[in-house]
Amino acid sequence: MATKLIPILLLSFLGGVGLRSFFDVSLELSWAIFGALCGFMAVQYSLLKSFRFEKVSILALALLLFFLGIIRLSYFEKNIEKDNLHNFYGEILTIEGVVLENKFTQASQRIVALSDEGKILLVTKVFPQYKYGDVLSISGSIEEPKNFKNINMKKILAKDKIYSQMVFPKIEKIGFAPPSKIMRSLLLIKEEFERKLKSVLPEPHFSLASGMLLGNEGVLEESVKEAFQKSGTIHILVLSGYNITVVGAALLQFFGFLPAVLGIILFVLMTGAEAPAVRAAIMGIIGLLVFYSGRAKTAVLVLFWSAFLMVMWSPAVLSFDRGFQLSFLATLGLIVASPFFLKKLSFLPKIFSIKENAASTLGAQIFVLPLLLSWGNFVSFLSPIANIFIVAVVPYVMAFSFLGGLVAFMFKNLGVWIASVSYVLISYQIYAAKFFSIF
């Protein structure tokens, strides 16, 4: 009985966090209800000398976790009190900060820097490029982050404790002091791998492969990006638990469970071991449990416990981290729906794992589709079919891209030959996405 209730209770906590993400709920009232529920359960236990899973008790426990979720996010949002930069909105300041991360779009470089006053987002030109550990002198106007269309940038940045930004400030590099030597080493490996991958794949193939492998946005042409959005396959361009599970499943079939898990860990280390990649790897390994053990109920429990712990640590990821949402729902779809489709698609051949890939793709797509629609994406009614044709080659694209970039460290020409398989497969994906996007 208790085991069956765990997903419901964990969902209660996630529901509390989700509600608090969009509505301002009184912290004092939440504590009062939480305390009353604790008192009720304590009295019940003292009278009965045991905890019985009756309807009233279950409801009380679920409400207890629900309000715990509200309280947890309320305290997380209080992190803004530790930030001083938001007190200077509209003022021109000169500060010093060390680069924690940077990402590139077609027209700009987005840098997260840590100063003595707090974290700040810097939007600046693509060149010169700055790296993790660079110490910068930054002069510009402190601004409050602005929301963009249906994207709540304030909340998305706040989940990483960023409450201020400067747009095209004056920047001067004045030193180098990486906060973590281990992270610096991992990011150096990632940067070098990215350079090698770029040397063996041209655009837009490099940007697509880089998105699947490293989670980079890259410099994709708008027409290509729009084709993936309209065909309902944009999720493959994000490093998620689904992508990693698909690759892990391929490794599982050829080498076994332990080598597949070790392969995922090596993959994450090679791509910088950043928080989104680590979360995706955890979801991916949970997905592998299904393929390996066939115990869907156990995998669901592990998935919900993992989500609970991740959200307890950083509650804002539940509503404002698209990578987390995509990883969780896709993995849940793999666990719950894939076995059903595996039976229904018995007519498909097993060669190259066609049947398994189709079943896992449809299972994940059923759960991911509402999320894509909630992001404002127009999705073709042929999206499930598009996913079968496009997602089916994702493990091979990722595998040959990864191997091509890896081999290019020693033998560039051989790396090009290996990556040429990815080139052909990515060309096919682009063509298929454009085809399905017209419906």
Side-chain angles (χ1 to χ4, degrees):
M1 180 67 175
T3 304
K4 292 180 180 179
L5 289 175
I6 289 175
I8 297 174
L9 297 176
L10 296 180
L11 273 175
S12 299
F13 172 80
L14 298 178
V17 174
L19 178 72
R20 181 60 184 81
S21 299
F22 300 101
F23 298 99
D24 189 13
V25 182
S26 168
L27 180 59
E28 291 76 13
L29 177 62
S30 298
W31 268 120
I33 297 175
F34 183 84
L37 289 167
C38 286
F40 168 79
M41 294 177 67
V43 170
Q44 184 192 49
Y45 183 84
S46 64
L47 292 175
L48 300 176
K49 303 302 180 184
S50 65
F51 187 83
R52 296 181 182 178
F53 289 99
E54 299 173 349
K55 290 183 179 180
V56 175
S57 302
I58 294 169
L59 179 61
L61 190 55
L63 286 173
L64 187 77
L65 286 167
F66 179 81
F67 281 98
L68 178 62
I70 292 175
I71 292 167
R72 177 66 187 98
L73 182 56
S74 297
Y75 276 99
F76 181 84
E77 290 185 345
K78 286 181 174 290
N79 281 311
I80 193 172
E81 297 174 0
K82 302 175 185 177
D83 175 271
N84 195 36
L85 289 172
H86 75 281
N87 295 316
F88 298 97
Y89 287 155
E91 298 185 28
I92 296 176
L93 295 181
T94 298
I95 60 175
E96 290 185 8
V98 59
V99 175
L100 297 181
E101 63 177 81
N102 66 331
K103 294 183 178 179
F104 297 91
T105 64
Q106 288 183 320
S108 65
Q109 182 179 183
R110 299 170 66 84
I111 302 167
V112 175
L114 176 64
S115 72
D116 292 336
E117 309 296 329
K119 285 185 180 179
I120 186 168
L121 173 67
L122 309 174
V123 181
T124 186
K125 54 189 178 181
V126 176
F127 295 100
Q129 296 182 356
Y130 301 100
K131 299 178 181 179
Y132 177 85
D134 286 344
V135 180
L136 310 177
S137 174
I138 312 154
S139 299
S141 175
I142 301 289
E143 299 178 3
E144 183 179 11
K146 296 178 174 61
N147 296 333
F148 178 74
K149 294 183 179 179
N150 65 330
I151 302 175
N152 193 330
M153 287 304 300
K154 292 181 184 178
K155 294 283 189 178
I156 290 173
L157 291 174
K159 74 177 172 58
D160 296 316
K161 303 177 184 177
I162 302 169
Y163 308 100
S164 307
Q165 67 177 18
M166 284 188 184
V167 180
F168 294 102
K170 181 181 177 182
I171 299 177
E172 180 184 357
K173 180 180 175 180
I174 58 175
F176 182 74
S180 167
K181 292 183 179 178
I182 295 175
M183 180 59 71
R184 176 56 183 160
S185 299
L186 291 172
L187 289 176
L188 280 174
I189 294 172
K190 176 185 176 181
E191 290 166 9
E192 189 59 31
F193 174 76
E194 197 170 350
R195 278 193 289 270
K196 296 302 181 183
L197 184 62
K198 196 168 188 176
S199 71
V200 297
L201 280 175
E203 289 288 0
H205 301 69
F206 163 72
S207 288
L208 283 165
S210 182
M212 293 183 216
L213 287 171
L214 308 174
N216 295 339
E217 293 183 17
V219 289
L220 271 181
E221 296 175 11
E222 197 59 37
S223 60
V224 175
K225 193 173 182 179
E226 185 178 351
F228 280 95
Q229 286 176 333
K230 289 185 175 180
S231 63
T233 54
I234 189 68
H235 57 89
I236 71 168
L237 307 184
V238 180
L239 180 62
S240 67
Y242 174 62
N243 283 13
I244 291 181
T245 300
V246 168
V247 174
L251 292 173
L252 179 65
Q253 292 178 13
F254 287 103
F255 304 107
F257 181 74
L258 187 58
V261 172
L262 292 175
I264 288 175
I265 294 172
L266 174 62
F267 169 76
V268 170
L269 291 174
M270 282 291 295
T271 55
E274 295 175 284
V278 173
R279 286 197 295 265
I282 292 171
M283 298 292 185
I285 291 172
I286 292 170
L288 283 187
L289 285 173
V290 180
F291 293 103
Y292 179 69
S293 66
R295 297 178 180 177
K297 291 183 179 179
T298 301
V300 168
L301 280 177
V302 174
L303 177 64
F304 274 96
W305 273 115
S306 300
F308 170 78
L309 294 173
M310 291 179 191
V311 173
M312 177 63 82
W313 177 261
S314 181
V317 301
L318 178 66
S319 301
F320 303 107
D321 189 317
R322 291 185 170 185
F324 171 82
Q325 296 166 359
L326 190 62
S327 294
F328 177 80
L329 289 177
T331 305
L332 185 61
L334 284 168
I335 296 170
V336 175
S338 291
F340 169 79
F341 287 111
L342 199 58
K343 294 178 181 178
K344 296 298 180 181
L345 299 175
S346 57
F347 59 89
L348 290 178
K350 292 185 178 180
I351 186 172
F352 299 122
S353 302
I354 292 176
K355 184 173 74 172
E356 289 77 8
N357 285 338
S360 60
T361 297
L362 285 172
Q365 179 67 9
I366 291 296
F367 279 72
V368 165
L369 187 58
L371 182 65
L372 297 177
L373 291 172
S374 73
W375 292 349
N377 292 328
F378 170 83
V379 178
S380 166
F381 71 94
L382 292 178
S383 175
I385 299 175
N387 271 267
I388 291 177
F389 281 94
I390 294 172
V391 179
V393 298
V394 164
Y396 307 105
V397 169
M398 293 179 71
F400 282 102
S401 298
F402 184 68
L403 287 174
L406 205 59
V407 171
F409 275 87
M410 296 177 290
F411 309 104
K412 181 181 176 181
N413 290 336
L414 181 57
V416 171
W417 276 101
I418 294 173
S420 65
V421 178
S422 290
Y423 178 87
V424 173
L425 294 175
I426 292 173
S427 297
Y428 156 76
Q429 286 180 311
I430 294 172
Y431 175 82
K434 289 183 176 179
F435 173 77
F436 283 106
S437 67
I438 65 178
F439 294 99

